[in-house]
Each structure stands twice: as structure tokens, then as C-alpha cells.
Amino acid sequence: MKKLLFFACAMLLIMACNKNGTGTPEADNSPKTDSVIDSLKIHQGKQDISTKIKIVVPVGNEALTKSINQMIKAAVEANDSVDANDLKAMARFFVENRANEMKEDADYEGDDPEGPNLWHEMEIKILYENDQIITMGVIQDVYLAGAHGSALFEGVTFNKADGKVLGKNILAQDKIDEVRKAVTQELEKYLKDTMGSDYNEAESPLKDETGKDNIVELPEKGIYINNDSVVFIYQQYEILPYAFGLPEASLSLKDMKKNGWLEAEFAKTVK
């Protein structure tokens, strides 16, 4: 399996130092972030085991920071002893805990002098940001031996003003079935793009035996906002075989508002 690429180094916070016509420093309007990187490598029997995490988060908004940190704590599966306000502690918990769990599961007994390397890598970063919202992404690459590894992705959108998560709750609950139908249609397009000339609509895994659409449920995780769209992303095996990766569908916020698919108060924020 080809490992997902991680950034080679942490993001640098560059302070503006140019001068304007009056001789005073220009304002620094770039987003303020905090970051941490941690990793661990151990050897168990014939296997190398490695874990790695990179976290980049916005700073400066107390309510938003608290909400994002709680999301990170859940993502790394940290216990109550870990302070959610301490990024370094959460990163260290992840690399140590996952390494120990993989160490317990390592059982390679083949004839090769070295067994397959095992790894779990996680990156938590800012995917999208505007004046009102920020979307964080949790990206994971895991290999625990076997035929292939696993990729996981979760997007989480937060309201900057109060830190509240904007997910399925931004959808008009009485229109969920219409949203599901639209998502299913977009997923058919995803299949067509993925399969190319091999695509056969009659044999689509999103069709039933009579050729009608199997209307999908909305994803358990991964309803988030990116640019001007709501993205619905599914995990491996959630709705399709492994070969189709992480299927996703995007619906325009403007179109969703026009169709009445957005919760009334949230719809007012869509222009």
C-alpha cells in the first residue's frame, strides 16, 4: 500500500514586516495557528511499528478552540487523564497508545527475517475557513498487515462565533429524504468518474435488482462545508466496496437553500 503523504515540516507563522507609506507596520491578516508534530517507532518481534500525528489548529477564539480541542481529543481517543487544552499531551497520547495497541496485535510468524511494517498516521488540519465558519479535517492512514491498509477521513465544520458543530443539524429535517436522493445521484456520478469506461449503470452497486436507485443513508461522519458546498463523505465499506475508496458527494449551498433543504436559521447565512 502506498502511504499517504504528510507534510514534511510544520507550518510557520510569518509575521508581516513590510512598511506602508506612513512608516507603520502593515496589519497581519493571516490566520493564526498553533501546531504540534509527534511520532514514535518501536520494534516488536519481526515488525517495525510506527505512529505519527500532526495537528494544526486556529487560535484566538476561546469557544472555538474549546470545541475543536474536544473534537481532537475524541479523534485521538484520549482518556479523561489527558487535558483537552494540551495539544502536545493529546499528540503524545495518540502515538504511545496506538503503538502499544499495535504492539499487542503484532503476531507475524513468517519465514522472512522481517515482518511487514505496521503504522498509524493521523493529520488534523484546517480544510476551509471563511468569516463565519471553519472546517477541520481528520485524515488517517492505517496499516495493520493483511492485503491492504485503511484510509479514514472526517470533516467537521464549526461556527466561529460559538464553536458549535455544523453537521447534519444544518439540514431541514423534513427534507432529509430529498437530500438523500440528491446525494445518491451525485454518488452515481462519482462511480462513473471512478470506473470510467468500465462503468455500467445497470450493474451499479447503488442500484437494486430492478435497476432503481438504492437511496443511501447520509454518512455517519463527514458532513461538512467546503467552499460553497456541503460535502457528504463515506468511509471505506460504508456504502461501497473497498475498491471505491472514500466515496463523496457535494451539493451546492445555494441550490440546497433554493430547494428548502437547509435548516431555516442556517439558510439565512447562505448568500
Side-chain angles (χ1 to χ4, degrees):
M1 169 184 173
K2 192 173 182 179
K3 298 176 68 173
L4 296 177
L5 293 177
F6 274 68
F7 290 115
C9 60
M11 178 184 293
L12 297 177
L13 179 60
I14 303 176
M15 301 300 293
C17 59
N18 294 328
K19 303 289 183 178
N20 60 22
T22 63
T24 57
E26 291 182 352
D28 178 13
N29 296 317
S30 60
K32 303 299 189 296
T33 61
D34 193 8
S35 65
V36 61
I37 296 176
D38 203 347
S39 63
L40 184 64
K41 188 173 183 178
I42 61 176
H43 195 77
Q44 173 68 16
K46 296 181 177 182
Q47 294 175 282
D48 284 331
I49 297 171
S50 63
T51 54
K52 183 177 181 180
I53 188 168
K54 177 179 180 180
I55 304 173
V56 177
V57 296
V59 296
N61 180 319
E62 184 176 350
L64 178 62
T65 297
K66 181 178 179 180
S67 189
I68 289 177
N69 284 357
Q70 288 295 334
M71 179 273 289
I72 293 171
K73 185 172 182 178
V76 302
E77 300 180 351
N79 56 37
D80 292 340
S81 67
V82 180
D83 183 359
N85 296 315
D86 190 336
L87 291 181
K88 290 183 178 179
M90 290 193 287
R92 177 51 23 174
F93 178 90
F94 171 79
V95 297
E96 290 183 346
N97 185 60
R98 288 301 293 128
N100 288 331
E101 289 178 347
M102 289 190 288
K103 182 178 179 180
E104 293 177 0
D105 294 336
D107 57 1
Y108 178 73
E109 297 179 355
D111 295 329
D112 293 338
E114 295 183 1
N117 294 333
L118 311 179
W119 66 78
H120 189 157
E121 299 183 352
M122 177 182 289
E123 182 177 10
I124 301 174
K125 65 180 183 178
I126 301 169
L127 294 179
Y128 173 72
E129 181 177 7
N130 63 26
D131 292 340
Q132 297 175 319
I133 65 171
I134 187 167
T135 297
M136 302 295 297
V138 181
I139 307 154
Q140 300 184 65
D141 178 24
V142 187
Y143 180 66
L144 302 177
H148 54 72
S150 297
L152 300 95
F153 178 89
E154 179 181 3
V156 185
T157 299
F158 299 87
N159 185 321
K160 282 186 172 181
D162 55 18
K164 291 183 179 179
V165 174
L166 302 176
K168 195 173 181 179
N169 57 339
I170 70 172
L171 306 177
Q173 297 305 299
D174 60 338
K175 299 289 186 178
I176 292 294
D177 287 345
E178 293 182 26
V179 175
R180 289 173 55 208
K181 289 178 182 178
V183 168
T184 302
Q185 292 173 356
E186 290 300 311
L187 288 172
E188 280 289 355
K189 295 178 183 178
Y190 171 88
L191 285 178
K192 188 174 183 179
D193 291 341
T194 302
M195 300 180 69
S197 59
D198 293 329
Y199 176 76
N200 184 331
E201 184 174 359
E203 297 178 359
S204 167
L206 294 176
K207 303 286 186 183
D208 63 20
E209 296 178 352
T210 67
K212 294 182 179 180
D213 287 337
N214 279 323
I215 307 301
V216 300
E217 295 293 337
L218 298 182
E220 292 185 10
K221 296 182 177 182
I223 300 177
Y224 64 95
I225 298 171
N226 189 25
N227 292 311
D228 58 355
S229 298
V230 179
V231 181
F232 303 81
I233 191 166
Y234 294 82
Q235 305 307 306
Q236 291 171 328
Y237 298 113
E238 189 173 354
I239 57 171
L240 291 171
Y242 173 84
F244 293 103
L246 302 172
E248 69 173 65
S250 296
L251 301 179
S252 162
L253 279 166
K254 289 183 179 179
D255 288 345
M256 294 181 74
K257 179 178 181 178
K258 181 179 178 180
N259 292 327
W261 295 346
L262 296 175
E263 185 273 330
E265 287 303 313
F266 178 75
K268 295 177 181 178
T269 69
V270 178
K271 300 177 181 180

